[in-house]
């Protein structure tokens, strides 16, 4: 249900019934009201219907990784796994109306038992055009009226939560989205600094380093395994623990990437020790890239966790950060002890 007030003093309000009707009611500055049939189109679905070959799809995926998550037309909650299509276009041909709705920011979800598990309710930006002849009075100008203004959107999410596996399947998409931002296939200079050293003290370590070499030997081998999917329950357990002790996991959405990156790194090493040839429906890392690359990419994954804590979680105190490091390295030593029988 969108409601928008434009800079031209016009108001737009509308509703969407998936079975019954799609409509808009346009209210002019003189309180003139026009009701009209309308269509509501999610912009991402429009793109998907255009029919692309594999090369185009890969290029679009790479382009999406360059953009921030705020430019995405779809947002999945890291708490409820509900999927919200927030970027959409409303078209009412009878009014000559085309208006695009974009959220001011993504996380405007409300958890509730009234309309469980949640709904999205918040501020949007509305831009578009309106025919100058929409009013019953004769239009002074044939040119379309440019619309822009702030608005309000309320909508329900999509997501079958009838079983735990379905919930984790949705959460895995969120985790992989965060991993894509931390380990992009087309890294910027800042990404390289974060992965190799940091943006201040050790940025000189990336001088003369080819981004393609980092991608081919460190990022791509790990991403190949991660992108095949996984339960990601480890990731959700981490953010859920934050909420359980009174924190707000929404501030630490990026931490969803941490357990999956470390876990997949351990799987790469585990497959080498086991001599496995298949992992998650595809060739193991050492089968696809060779032992040297697999060992390097798998062990490097353990240290990407430090990047997530240092660079992406700047608000932690020195004491908390130190405690996290100590717990992390205890867990890593214990994990390696668990693999002792493969080496004996």
């Amino acid at each position: 249900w969108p409601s928008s007030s434009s800079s031209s003093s016009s108001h737009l309000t509308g509703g969407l019934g998936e079975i019954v009707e799609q409509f808009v009611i346009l209210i002019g500055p003189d309180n003139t009201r026009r009701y009209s049939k309308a269509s509501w189109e999610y912009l991402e679905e429009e793109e998907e219907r255009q029919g692309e070959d594999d090369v185009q799809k890969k290029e679009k995926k790479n382009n999406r990784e360059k953009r921030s998550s705020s430019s995405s037309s779809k947002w999945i909650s890291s708490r409820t796994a509900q999927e919200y299509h927030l970027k959409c276009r409303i078209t009412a041909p009878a009014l000559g109306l085309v208006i695009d709705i974009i959220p001011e920011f993504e996380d405007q979800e409300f958890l509730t038992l009234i309309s469980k598990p949640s709904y999205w309710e918040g501020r949007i930006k509305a831009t578009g055009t309106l025919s100058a002849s929409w009013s019953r009075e004769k239009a002074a100008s044939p040119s379309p009226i440019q619309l822009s203004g702030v608005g309000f959107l309320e909508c329900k999410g999509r997501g079958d939560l009838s079983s735990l596996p379905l919930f984790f399947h949705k959460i895995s998409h969120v985790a992989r989205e965060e991993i894509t931002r931390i380990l992009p296939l087309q890294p910027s200079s800042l990404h390289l600094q974060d992965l190799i050293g940091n943006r201040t003290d050790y940025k000189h370590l990336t001088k003369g380093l080819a981004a393609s070499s980092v991608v081919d030997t460190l990022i791509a081998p790990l991403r190949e395994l991660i992108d095949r999917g996984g339960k990601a329950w480890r990731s959700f357990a981490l953010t859920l623990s934050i909420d359980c002790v009174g924190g707000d996991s929404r501030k630490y959405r990026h931490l969803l990437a941490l357990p999956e990156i470390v876990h997949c790194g351990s799987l790469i090493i585990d497959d080498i020790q086991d001599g496995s040839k298949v992992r998650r429906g595809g060739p193991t890392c050492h089968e696809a890239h060779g032992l040297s690359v697999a060992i390097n990419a798998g062990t490097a994954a353990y240290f990407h966790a430090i990047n997530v804590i240092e660079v992406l979680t700047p608000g932690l105190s020195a004491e908390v950060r130190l405690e996290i490091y100590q717990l992390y390295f205890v867990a890593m030593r214990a994990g390696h002890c668990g693999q002792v029988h493969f080496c004996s």
Side-chain angles (χ1 to χ4, degrees):
W1 182 277
S3 174
S4 175
S5 176
S6 75
S7 55
S8 64
S9 299
S10 296
H11 300 276
L12 170 70
T13 180
L16 168 64
E18 292 183 353
I19 299 176
V20 181
E21 188 176 23
Q22 298 180 30
F23 64 91
V24 296
I25 300 173
L26 191 61
I27 307 171
D30 59 352
N31 208 34
T32 302
R33 297 169 182 255
R34 288 287 300 276
Y35 168 93
S36 175
K37 300 280 188 180
S39 63
W40 177 299
E41 192 163 30
Y42 300 116
L43 298 184
E44 185 176 63
E45 293 179 357
E46 181 183 35
E47 293 175 357
E48 289 173 351
R49 285 198 297 270
Q50 291 176 357
E52 304 155 327
D53 57 29
D54 291 339
V55 175
Q56 290 172 317
K57 289 179 180 178
K58 184 176 181 180
E59 182 178 354
K60 178 178 286 187
K61 179 180 179 182
N62 289 338
N63 289 336
R64 280 199 300 265
E65 293 190 6
K66 291 181 180 179
R67 303 194 300 262
S68 66
S69 61
S70 60
S71 64
S72 175
S73 56
K74 180 172 62 177
W75 179 75
I76 303 176
S77 168
S78 60
R79 296 193 295 174
T80 65
Q82 292 295 286
E83 180 180 296
Y84 298 95
H85 289 261
L86 303 175
K87 187 177 180 182
C88 54
R89 174 170 296 162
I90 299 174
T91 305
L95 300 176
L97 174 70
V98 178
I99 189 165
D100 291 343
I101 291 176
I102 301 174
E104 290 281 7
F105 58 95
E106 293 170 329
D107 194 346
Q108 300 185 68
E109 182 189 42
F110 290 84
L111 276 61
T112 175
L113 294 176
I114 298 175
S115 181
K116 63 182 184 181
S118 60
Y119 62 91
W120 196 97
E121 182 179 272
R123 176 169 165 152
I124 58 159
K125 292 185 291 186
T127 58
T129 58
L130 173 67
S131 171
S133 60
W134 76 273
S135 174
R136 290 186 174 90
E137 301 176 1
K138 187 176 180 180
S141 170
S143 301
I145 301 170
Q146 298 297 316
L147 302 176
S148 64
V150 297
F152 173 84
L153 175 68
E154 179 178 316
C155 63
K156 281 289 292 179
R158 298 177 177 180
D160 185 355
L161 303 181
S162 59
S163 71
L164 199 57
L166 286 173
F167 176 81
F168 283 136
H169 177 71
K170 274 290 185 183
I171 287 294
S172 70
H173 288 290
V174 184
R176 285 196 293 276
E177 180 182 283
E178 296 303 314
I179 291 168
T180 295
R181 295 202 300 171
I182 295 169
L183 298 174
L185 295 176
Q186 293 187 341
S188 65
S189 58
L190 283 179
H191 277 121
L192 292 179
Q193 289 173 20
D194 292 342
L195 291 174
I196 307 302
N198 60 41
R199 300 182 186 184
T200 54
D201 301 332
Y202 305 106
K203 61 182 180 181
H204 64 279
L205 295 176
T206 60
K207 186 176 181 179
L209 182 65
S212 58
S213 298
V214 177
V215 172
D216 293 342
T217 59
L218 291 179
I219 299 177
L222 188 61
R223 281 285 305 276
E224 284 177 13
L225 180 57
I226 292 172
D227 292 349
R228 291 175 193 167
K231 301 182 184 68
W233 64 265
R234 298 169 186 83
S235 298
F236 183 68
L238 175 58
T239 54
L240 180 62
S241 298
I242 295 174
D243 289 324
C244 286
V245 296
D248 186 351
S249 64
R250 294 175 298 177
K251 299 178 181 178
Y252 305 100
R253 183 183 174 102
H254 60 279
L255 292 183
L256 286 166
L258 193 154
E260 188 65 11
I261 290 174
V262 173
H263 175 59
C264 284
S266 71
L267 292 181
I268 290 174
I269 302 302
D270 186 64
D271 287 336
I272 294 173
Q273 294 174 324
D274 293 347
S276 301
K277 296 184 180 298
V278 177
R279 171 68 69 175
R280 291 184 175 178
T284 53
C285 186
H286 64 278
E287 286 288 321
H289 299 279
L291 277 174
S292 297
V293 170
I295 293 172
N296 198 43
T299 53
Y302 301 152
F303 302 101
H304 292 324
I306 307 301
N307 164 41
V308 174
I309 296 297
E310 286 190 348
V311 178
L312 300 179
T313 321
L316 299 177
S317 67
E319 292 77 15
V320 170
R321 200 182 302 272
L322 177 59
E323 187 174 1
I324 290 174
Y325 291 155
Q326 290 174 335
L327 292 172
Y328 176 74
F329 287 118
V330 167
M332 293 302 294
R333 290 197 299 272
H336 279 73
C337 288
Q339 293 292 97
V340 167
H341 65 282
F342 289 110
C343 305
S344 58

